[in-house]
Amino acid sequence: MAEGTGTGKRVTWVELYFDLIFVFAVGQSAHIMVADPDWSGFGRALGLFMPLWWAWIGFVILYNRHGDDRAAQRLFMLAGTLPCAVAAVETHAAADGHATAFILALAGIRLVLAVGFLVIVGRSSWVALGYGLSTVAFAVSAVVPEPWRIALWVFALLQEAAHLLLRDDDRGRRRGGSTRAARGPSAGTDGEVAGGPAGVAAGRPARERPARRSRAAAVRARFRRPVDPARRVDAAHLAERFGLMMIILLGEVVIAVGEPAAEAAEHDAHYWLGLLSGLMLAGALWWLYFTAAAPINEAVLRASGGHPAMAYGLYAGGHLSSAFALITMAAGVSLALSGEEEPTGAAWLLTIGLAVYLEGTRGLTTWRSSRPGRVLHTVVIGGTVCLALLRPLISTLGVLLVATAWAITLAAYVSWRAPERLRQVNDGPRAFLHSSAARD
């Protein structure tokens, strides 16, 4: 294992138990979209999902950096399940406008995290302070009107992410900036002196060359190991934890297939087409993630030395869209197979969810290395969304069949290209990181 990437710890049983409670909470978002399959239902589900997701991220990072599976830490994890369970039960009430209990449960989750980081870690007072501020912000938002409530939620989530995974990166930039300033304005790179004869001979304005060097330095700074070893993220544990979470969320898609099938009165062609296509879609989604995204993300995080900002981009923020996309597709599948009147929104939930999942898992990013490839990538993602336009011509079940065939086709493509991308990471991880950043 690369130096500084962590000990390669395994996910503990108490973490798995916590994840089951958490998925019960976020899984309620799918029921909101099933009950209200339009843009308002989608927006409410996403708004309730976001604070739950970032609460889960806090527990993941706490155990990733400092978890020894001792009795005290298990108690903190179990304590976190209580407000999560309350939030799950109150999700539907919050979607209907009765959000007080749900919001106070979110505040309780942050309070457990604040105490956890303060007691278990001790020295991570900044992280504990961040969750303390979030606790106050969520508690106050329970008694303020809607516009201010949203503002408080946004403030709480942004400062949580800043304290948890981005603070070390900001300090590194400030240190780098002060070091460059100490060298003086005449210090260049590769033996050049800014504004000197070498800069003039290059044939470009001297002021453009420092700008390009600054961009290159910013890219390099993204992948520099954290100064404090305690802030490094364990790549193996994080990859396993998120992989298990994706498996559990894929279970939501399987449940969305199984429940309508179990309630079907007749096992006709509609029954078998819906059952088999839904299960094949879940399998294709599994294949897309675990064939390419999971191993590549772990390899890239290892190459960065467990950098918190890289963990933020790949997992905490990067998996947010993929996780919610699975819940969105679960809602679309449930509506498509329900046997009742099929709302038009069901097809859009399916195709938008699939497009977001494809983009979030980054299985198609090999196309971005060239301009035609980027155009093709955009066409594929946009075309996936537009599959819902087939709805006036075919039923929602037909859209599900087409989306399943499309997902299987893309899974086959990812299987073909994934070994090459993994080889690029393993052969030259630093070069791969820099080229990926330049493309994105």
Side-chain angles (χ1 to χ4, degrees), residues 175-236:
R175 272 192 294 269
S178 61
T179 302
R180 286 191 296 271
R183 291 174 182 168
S186 62
T189 60
D190 300 329
E192 295 180 359
V193 178
V200 176
R204 292 181 181 272
R207 62 179 175 273
E208 293 184 7
R209 298 177 65 82
R212 290 201 307 275
R213 288 198 296 269
S214 298
R215 288 193 295 270
V219 172
R220 288 194 297 271
R222 286 181 59 188
F223 312 121
R224 187 181 300 128
R225 285 189 176 91
V227 177
D228 183 2
R231 293 190 62 81
R232 295 175 187 169
V233 177
D234 189 301

Side-chain angles (χ1 to χ4, degrees), residues 99-125:
T100 302
F102 177 82
I103 296 173
L104 292 178
L106 294 179
I109 296 172
R110 269 71 185 180
L111 179 60
V112 173
L113 282 168
V115 175
F117 274 96
L118 189 62
V119 173
I120 295 175
V121 185
R123 57 183 173 177
S124 293
S125 57

Side-chain angles (χ1 to χ4, degrees), residues 26-47:
V26 300
Q28 300 305 306
S29 302
H31 296 291
I32 294 173
M33 288 183 279
V34 170
D36 192 7
D38 55 19
W39 289 114
S40 63
F42 180 87
R44 288 197 300 273
L46 179 60

